[in-house]
Amino acid sequence: MEIVRKMNVPVEFFYKTIIDSVLSDIHSQTGKKVSEKQLTGFEYVKTFSKNSKATVRIEEVTKNNSYQYRTTSNKNDFIVAYKIRPLTEESCQLHYTEKMESFGYLQKLNDAFIGIVWSPLKKRRFKEMLKQIEASYLNGAKKSG
């Protein structure tokens, strides 16, 4: 999946929103409080359901520019990258990519099929989340302005 979108929020706000979410996830999964500076190379085990766990490794964190992580399970390797660049003081461009490499022929077939079925829903949910980020910025700006 790949999404390129203009965001009507400053690059700093968008980046901070992503990082705050990551730090919150790490804390809820591990109980550890990690700082932004400790993120690159940080690994933790994330539990998705009773029978589903994966290792999350944060591969790249560049302030106000990029965030990339890899989720590895016994079934596949999933890489997500956020690249952001400022357009104006109040907007930025997001280049979001997801890549999945499945292990084993049957898993590849299964993941391909599931990808075809779920991809439109996943894209719609992701775009909805981006709209919520913009709305939270606008609501915050109105309150402080």
Side-chain angles (χ1 to χ4, degrees), residues 108-127:
K108 283 181 181 166
L109 281 177
N110 185 47
D111 289 344
F113 176 72
I114 287 172
I116 290 166
V117 172
W118 286 105
S119 187
L121 177 65
K122 208 169 165 190
K123 251 186 184 167
R124 192 164 50 242
R125 277 196 179 145
F126 187 77
K127 287 179 178 177

Side-chain angles (χ1 to χ4, degrees), residues 5-70:
R5 178 183 163 144
K6 178 186 176 200
M7 296 292 296
N8 294 310
V9 299
V11 71
E12 299 83 1
F13 180 86
F14 188 79
Y15 174 81
K16 184 179 181 331
T17 302
I18 293 168
I19 297 304
D20 286 351
S21 172
V22 172
L23 294 172
S24 173
D25 187 54
I26 289 171
H27 185 258
S28 72
Q29 293 290 323
T30 68
K32 294 179 183 171
K33 287 216 179 255
V34 179
S35 73
E36 180 182 333
K37 288 178 172 61
Q38 296 171 294
L39 285 176
T40 304
F42 190 84
E43 267 188 31
Y44 64 104
V45 174
K46 181 171 175 123
T47 304
F48 294 97
S49 66
K50 200 169 133 186
N51 304 328
S52 176
K53 288 182 180 180
T55 300
V56 177
R57 177 176 170 77
I58 298 167
E59 297 185 325
E60 183 185 325
V61 179
T62 307
K63 191 166 186 71
N64 299 330
N65 182 278
S66 64
Y67 170 68
Q68 180 174 307
Y69 68 93
R70 176 185 303 259

Side-chain angles (χ1 to χ4, degrees), residues 130-144:
L130 295 178
K131 284 181 190 169
Q132 288 171 0
I133 290 171
E134 286 179 328
S136 75
Y137 174 72
L138 290 172
N139 290 337
K142 285 177 185 163
K143 286 176 188 162
S144 64

Side-chain angles (χ1 to χ4, degrees), residues 74-123:
N74 58 349
K75 295 178 180 168
N76 51 42
D77 215 9
F78 190 68
I79 302 166
V80 173
Y82 292 80
K83 303 281 184 203
I84 45 178
R85 66 181 181 88
L87 295 173
T88 68
E89 281 188 22
E90 293 291 316
S91 68
C92 61
Q93 183 184 54
L94 166 65
H95 187 176
Y96 173 87
T97 55
E98 277 181 11
K99 291 183 196 121
M100 183 165 61
E101 187 181 317
S102 305
F103 308 136
Y105 180 71
L106 288 175
Q107 189 64 46
K108 283 181 181 166
L109 281 177
N110 185 47
D111 289 344
F113 176 72
I114 287 172
I116 290 166
V117 172
W118 286 105
S119 187
L121 177 65
K122 208 169 165 190
K123 251 186 184 167

